[in-house]
Amino acid sequence: MASPEARAGAIVRPAARVLLLDPLGRVLLLRVERPYGLPYAAWLTPGGGLEPGESHEEAALRELREETGITGVELGPWVWERRFHFSRGVVYCNLERYYVARIAFEPRVQTQGDDGEGPPGHRWWGVRELASLREPLLPPRLPEFLPEIIAGHYPARVLDITEEGELQTC
């Protein structure tokens, strides 16, 4: 973790992620080696940083296309946000927005590398399976908040799903 001084000078990195759900109520996750410079692999939702002049919604759809090959998805509501610091030689404050998208079928996913960190694997996960996952999950609180989203009960206001240890001001 970055020092308080490094976090104070962090570069703000807006990001968009997609909670892609299939008709069986499963979420698509990618297994990525060393996400955010971590020393291990983790499972996470498709998504990433915004490019200059790009909206969060545009970034979410672009990242979904780049990381999975899935196109033609209608993006649903922004339901969650999360913030945390990470370092790749420079300290970043990642400000993530999570959007819901539903598809009527299980597409064939064409996974590609995430920022040159190696090609991710992919898998559709049910909530019970996520609860027993032994590898790290990002966001860590996904199993806690996902059942309401799967049921179609979206929060009236965007929920902050940042973990307590991540609560540093960006």
Side-chain angles (χ1 to χ4, degrees):
M1 175 169 275
S3 70
E5 295 80 22
R7 287 193 309 265
I11 297 170
V12 174
R13 179 181 182 261
R17 305 206 75 80
V18 180
L19 299 165
L20 186 64
L21 304 173
D22 76 358
L24 300 176
R26 300 176 301 174
V27 64
L28 179 69
L29 297 180
L30 307 177
R31 185 178 185 277
V32 177
E33 293 293 329
R34 299 185 345 257
Y36 306 111
L38 294 170
Y40 48 79
W43 289 91
L44 63 158
T45 60
L50 276 63
E51 292 182 353
E54 190 174 45
S55 72
H56 283 83
E57 294 84 357
E58 291 167 337
L61 293 173
R62 176 186 49 77
E63 288 284 346
L64 186 61
R65 182 184 71 251
E66 288 177 0
E67 293 179 352
T68 70
I70 297 172
T71 61
V73 173
E74 186 175 323
L75 205 58
W78 166 27
V79 292
W80 304 337
E81 62 187 13
R82 176 175 173 243
R83 62 192 182 282
F84 60 93
H85 288 88
F86 73 95
S87 177
R88 282 192 189 145
V90 174
V91 177
Y92 293 93
C93 179
N94 213 47
L95 303 174
E96 295 180 333
R97 290 185 183 182
Y98 286 79
Y99 292 88
V100 177
R102 294 182 183 270
I103 55 174
F105 59 94
E106 181 180 327
R108 182 176 169 184
V109 176
Q110 303 168 355
T111 56
Q112 298 178 12
D114 179 28
D115 299 326
E117 296 176 320
H122 75 279
R123 182 173 165 198
W124 293 92
W125 292 85
V127 174
R128 283 191 198 143
E129 295 171 304
L130 286 176
S132 63
L133 180 63
R134 299 221 185 268
E135 290 186 286
L137 180 61
L138 300 174
R141 298 177 73 187
L142 185 64
E144 179 183 343
F145 292 103
L146 190 58
E148 288 294 309
I149 300 301
I150 290 171
H153 302 153
Y154 304 142
R157 285 182 291 174
V158 173
L159 293 181
D160 185 342
I161 63 165
T162 302
E163 287 194 65
E164 229 176 273
E166 298 172 328
L167 289 174
Q168 297 103 8
T169 303
C170 293

